[in-house]
Amino acid sequence: MTSPGHPAPATLAQKLVARAAGMEAVVPGTVVTCRVDLAMSHDSSGPRRVAPLLRELGAKVWDPERYVIVTDHFVPAADPEAETIVRFARDWARDAGLRHVIDGEGICHVVLPERGHVLPGRFIVGGDSHSPTGGAFGAYMFGIGATEMAGVLATGEIWLRVPHTIRLHWNGRLADGVCAKDMMLFLCARLGMGGGRYEAVEFSGDAVTALPMQERMTLTNMTAELGAQTGLIAPDDTTLRWLADTGVAPQTLAAIDVAHWRTDAGAAVLEDHRFDAATLPPQVAAPHSPANSAPVEQAAGEVIDIAYLGACTGAKLEDMRMAARVLRGRRIASGVTLQVAPASLRDQQQAEREGTLAALRDAGAQLLPNACNACAGYGPTRFGASARAIASTARNFPGRMGDAGSAVWLGSPLTVAASAVAGRITDPRTMLS
């Protein structure tokens, strides 16, 4: 029994929602009104969708400081229609007085935290299904549609059903050659693409806390593939160091109480799953779903002609570093195209400075713009009808990355790189010293 003045133990999700709702505590299943700290849209989901709705409402953006526009889906423009979409986003953002427009410098889920917009404790909405990426920083972030976004932009608020928490606890440490992408592909197969039940998924355990921030971002990003509303990881010193390195002010970081933003001992969860990270092998998802995942040996030998290192789950700096481990001193196989689309300009520049990008180019990689590219299927990079590809993207649904006749397997950056060298899907551990 809870004593007067001592609230019941709460999950991280409940604490984040309670803060946004201005309440001491919230109860899963109830509906509350939350104040939004930040909203984010990209060129596809943003101005062209919400501008007509705001015009119909006779409303303006409630706070131009709190709405970020990122151009990433239709850049570089592949046709006049794409040019019109991007131009409209730029012009509307200017006319609306928006202070934060990140134009052609990377994928929204990567550049948003790079710019210091995603901090522990914040409540954020995004106009994209992979918006749960922000949960890696201990923020409550989730994706919404254009109608909901218009409501947020007009009022600065949104209704929310307080979620239950599904805990995914990973004991031990990942083996060399295994990474966050493998964890998520395994979970897609084990729990299914509805396993998140549109609740809050929280990742915990030694294997999770040992991950660098960009690997944590891969975990929370792909909670969308589990059908969860958001994915969360409790912030810690790793979080604060990464934010400091991106330029977040020391006084801002000093004000963050990381000890508060974590699930209390004894807090009730809807489900509690436990996994042994040390026994997890590399995973590969066969066409045409992330749920078709299995240990790499089951797909080994499948001939590929494209190896695609891109997307918010597969071309961040950490991802490129992993691929470079495999590719240094090697060349891609004859007949294979290795495409690399760095997830952000900042990550590309750092990869260039440290020699990571040189290792990829020396192996034969083709460098693509800092954008969603083939992952979103809107740009000039699309897979043809006969393509057989392995990609570090989050989804391999029919036609998503090009012609519906293409076959796309999903793997980690390590597996993509190893497969590019071999010309067929390959266990990356065979190429790591």
Side-chain angles (χ1 to χ4, degrees), residues 155-397:
T155 67
E157 297 181 339
I158 191 172
W159 290 349
L160 184 79
R161 179 187 62 82
V162 181
H164 296 272
T165 292
I166 297 174
R167 182 161 51 207
L168 304 180
H169 189 88
W170 287 84
N171 296 306
R173 299 289 289 267
L174 294 171
D176 192 24
V178 184
C179 62
K181 185 61 172 289
D182 298 304
M183 297 167 74
M184 290 311 301
L185 292 177
F186 168 83
L187 289 171
C188 287
R190 173 65 68 88
L191 302 179
M193 296 190 70
R197 301 171 63 171
Y198 205 62
E199 305 288 356
V201 164
E202 183 176 347
F203 298 91
S204 62
D206 292 343
V208 175
T209 56
L211 294 174
M213 278 310 304
Q214 289 193 334
E215 280 283 82
R216 297 181 187 188
M217 290 164 66
T218 296
L219 292 185
T220 56
N221 176 292
M222 285 190 66
T223 53
E225 275 60 58
L226 296 178
Q229 182 180 68
T230 193
L232 297 169
I233 298 174
D236 56 15
D237 289 343
T238 297
T239 316
L240 297 181
R241 283 195 300 271
W242 192 91
L243 291 170
D245 289 343
T246 62
V248 176
Q251 59 269 30
T252 299
L253 296 177
I256 297 172
D257 182 6
V258 292
H260 173 70
W261 299 118
R262 60 188 61 253
T263 293
D264 295 330
V269 298
L270 183 64
E271 298 176 16
D272 194 355
H273 301 273
R274 293 182 174 265
F275 307 101
D276 182 1
T279 63
L280 182 70
Q283 304 285 302
V284 170
H288 294 282
S289 170
N292 292 339
S293 295
V296 62
E297 62 187 24
Q298 294 192 29
E302 291 281 359
V303 174
I304 54 104
D305 48 49
I306 298 173
Y308 184 81
L309 196 69
C312 41
T313 57
K316 303 181 293 299
L317 180 60
E318 291 292 341
D319 301 316
M320 290 187 285
R321 285 170 172 167
M322 283 188 273
R325 282 192 64 199
V326 172
L327 293 171
R328 280 193 176 91
R330 295 187 171 100
R331 291 282 300 178
I332 60 174
S334 175
V336 172
T337 300
L338 172 60
Q339 299 172 332
V340 179
S344 81
L345 178 59
R346 288 190 184 185
D347 278 356
Q348 177 177 323
Q349 290 170 339
Q350 177 57 32
E352 187 74 84
R353 285 191 293 268
E354 68 187 30
T356 294
L357 209 58
L360 304 183
R361 281 197 299 257
D362 290 347
Q366 298 177 0
L367 195 63
L368 300 179
N370 309 121
C372 296
N373 290 292
C375 180
Y378 295 143
T381 305
R382 294 171 57 83
F383 300 161
S386 61
R388 294 172 59 85
I390 184 164
S392 60
T393 57
R395 295 171 180 165
N396 58 343
F397 303 143

Side-chain angles (χ1 to χ4, degrees), residues 42-45 48-49 72-79 82 85 128 372-382 399-402:
H42 49 63
D43 45 351
S44 179
S45 69
R48 69 175 180 143
R49 306 291 188 193
D72 60 3
H73 277 55
F74 285 97
V75 292
D79 51 45
I85 291 170
D128 188 273
C372 296
N373 290 292
C375 180
Y378 295 143
T381 305
R382 294 171 57 83
R400 176 177 172 86
M401 301 180 69

Side-chain angles (χ1 to χ4, degrees), residues 10 12 30 59 62 79 86 109 137 150 291 319 341 358 360 421 424 427:
L12 173 57
T30 60
W62 96 105
D79 51 45
V86 174
H109 311 299
F137 297 86
D319 301 316
L360 304 183
V421 171
R424 61 193 72 246
D427 189 330

Side-chain angles (χ1 to χ4, degrees), residues 34 37 67 133 156 273 423:
C34 295
D37 293 306
Y67 186 33
T133 306
H273 301 273

Side-chain angles (χ1 to χ4, degrees), residues 97-114:
L98 301 190
R99 310 287 197 272
H100 305 290
V101 178
I102 307 173
D103 194 356
E105 294 185 32
I107 303 171
C108 58
H109 311 299
V110 179
V111 297
L112 198 70
E114 275 185 355

